[in-house]
Amino acid sequence: MKSLDKIVRSVRAFGRGLSGLPQSAPATASIGVALGGGFARGIAHIGVLKVLEEENIPIGFVAGTSVGALIGAAYCSGVSIAELELMATRVRFKHFARWTLSRYGFASNQRMIGFLSSVLKVKTFEELLIPLAVTATDFSTGAGVVFHSGPLVDPVRASCAYPGMFQPIKVRGHLLVDGMLAHPVPTVPLREMGAEHVLAVHLKGTWVNGDAPRHLFDVIGQCFSIAQDTNGDRWKQAADVIIQPDVKGYKYDDFEHSTELIRAGETVARAALPELRKWLPLEPSRAQLRKPAVVQPATAPVD
């Protein structure tokens, strides 16, 4: 049975090579990419992945939180960058959510089942072309939960269950909410998967011009941003390079600005290429690496 599984994986990888889609990295290039949460701002992740692919930076592992889990799952399943870009121009809040009356949240992300089923090229973690970790948070204990196996759809839904907006999702007997609470940027799961080099994509969104929040979800979103900044030591320590696309000023539901958000991801990823290319030859062990480099676009505002 194990031999059959190996054959199936080899055939899939061969087919992926013929199609021109990104292939998983060779064992000698254990580079992990951590995709943080940020709702619509997460479209910037597509720009980052686009640059890594264009510049032949091999991706050995991906870990995603919230929208990072969604984009990571799609990419690792075989969805091409071109397909992701097209999806980003068309997707809107209504494709994920339906407003509802519930004491657990204002919306259900039940619609995400159909959306993910139509987007993902495979149904399980085991079928993915690049190993993936999806993070969520146990509502009862506050502990981080990391998925590596089994069906994909429900763990991704749970990772995207933004507290206050979406109802918690029950997966494998646990009530789960957004992974951003436990893993704002999931660098630690990448280390646990065996990544020697970790690129963290942090979607730092801060309030602009002192504007008043429009509604409850703006308040929740800003609270998440504050929590990321004040409780980020652990994930930062597990990163070698941290990049921060310039997504300041974009709201949680700014899906119509997909082109600008993708460009923001591209810009900061290109700025980080000199650091990332150092990983391709043999590098010192992780213990010898200096503190993570934080790369921002030259035009990004200074806090």
Side-chain angles (χ1 to χ4, degrees):
M1 195 67 179
K2 290 183 179 178
S3 299
L4 179 59
D5 289 342
K6 288 182 179 179
I7 293 171
V8 170
R9 284 196 294 270
S10 297
V11 170
R12 287 197 184 107
F14 179 69
R16 189 176 178 87
L18 291 177
S19 67
L21 296 177
Q23 299 186 51
S24 54
T28 54
S30 58
I31 295 173
V33 180
L35 304 176
F39 218 72
R41 298 179 184 123
I43 293 172
H45 290 319
I46 299 173
V48 174
L49 294 171
K50 181 178 182 179
V51 169
L52 297 180
E53 192 172 303
E54 289 177 348
E55 299 297 326
N56 297 314
I57 306 295
I59 301 174
F61 308 93
V62 175
T65 287
S66 199
V67 66
L70 191 157
I71 291 175
Y75 186 74
C76 293
S77 78
V79 177
S80 70
I81 294 297
E83 289 173 313
L84 284 172
E85 288 181 303
L86 181 61
M87 178 186 75
T89 63
R90 296 179 176 178
V91 73
R92 294 294 182 268
F93 182 76
K94 65 182 180 181
H95 295 117
F96 303 119
R98 180 174 57 200
W99 298 114
T100 184
L101 290 175
S102 169
R103 57 183 174 172
Y104 298 122
F106 288 98
S108 163
N109 70 5
Q110 188 79 12
R111 286 181 177 173
M112 194 176 284
I113 296 175
F115 175 80
L116 289 170
S117 297
S118 67
V119 168
L120 299 177
K121 305 282 188 179
V122 301
K123 296 180 182 298
T124 67
F125 282 87
E126 288 79 5
E127 297 172 281
L128 292 170
L129 298 169
I130 299 174
L132 172 72
V134 168
T135 70
T137 305
D138 189 305
F139 181 76
S140 299
T141 66
V145 178
V146 182
F147 292 93
H148 299 283
S149 63
L152 276 165
V153 170
D154 279 349
V156 174
R157 286 180 63 216
S159 189
C160 295
Y162 206 70
M165 178 184 291
F166 292 122
Q167 300 167 9
I169 306 297
K170 196 165 190 177
V171 184
R172 302 179 191 175
H174 296 273
L175 199 61
L176 305 177
V177 293
D178 200 302
M180 285 179 67
L181 291 171
H183 293 284
V185 185
T187 55
V188 173
L190 286 175
R191 293 295 189 191
E192 293 170 347
M193 293 169 77
E196 287 295 321
H197 309 289
V198 171
L199 169 64
V201 187
H202 180 211
L203 302 172
K204 183 179 180 181
T206 56
W207 210 250
V208 179
N209 299 326
D211 293 339
R214 298 170 298 163
H215 40 56
L216 171 64
F217 306 132
D218 279 349
V219 174
I220 296 171
Q222 180 64 359
C223 290
F224 267 116
S225 295
I226 294 169
Q228 280 186 315
D229 287 344
T230 56
N231 300 300
D233 286 347
R234 188 164 180 247
W235 72 259
K236 289 176 182 176
Q237 289 168 1
D240 296 309
V241 172
I242 300 169
I243 61 176
Q244 297 178 154
D246 185 7
V247 296
K248 296 175 183 177
Y250 293 100
K251 300 179 176 64
Y252 84 96
D253 55 353
D254 272 346
F255 292 101
E256 65 272 17
H257 293 290
S258 61
T259 301
E260 298 99 306
L261 287 164
I262 290 172
R263 189 179 302 120
E266 290 183 66
T267 299
V268 73
R270 291 200 180 281
L273 285 174
E275 287 291 329
L276 303 183
R277 288 196 178 107
K278 294 177 183 177
W279 297 346
L280 300 185
L282 291 175
E283 285 291 292
S285 67
R286 192 165 61 213
Q288 295 173 292
L289 293 173
R290 299 186 303 276
K291 65 182 292 187
V294 180
V295 181
Q296 294 178 302
T299 57
V302 178
D303 290 338

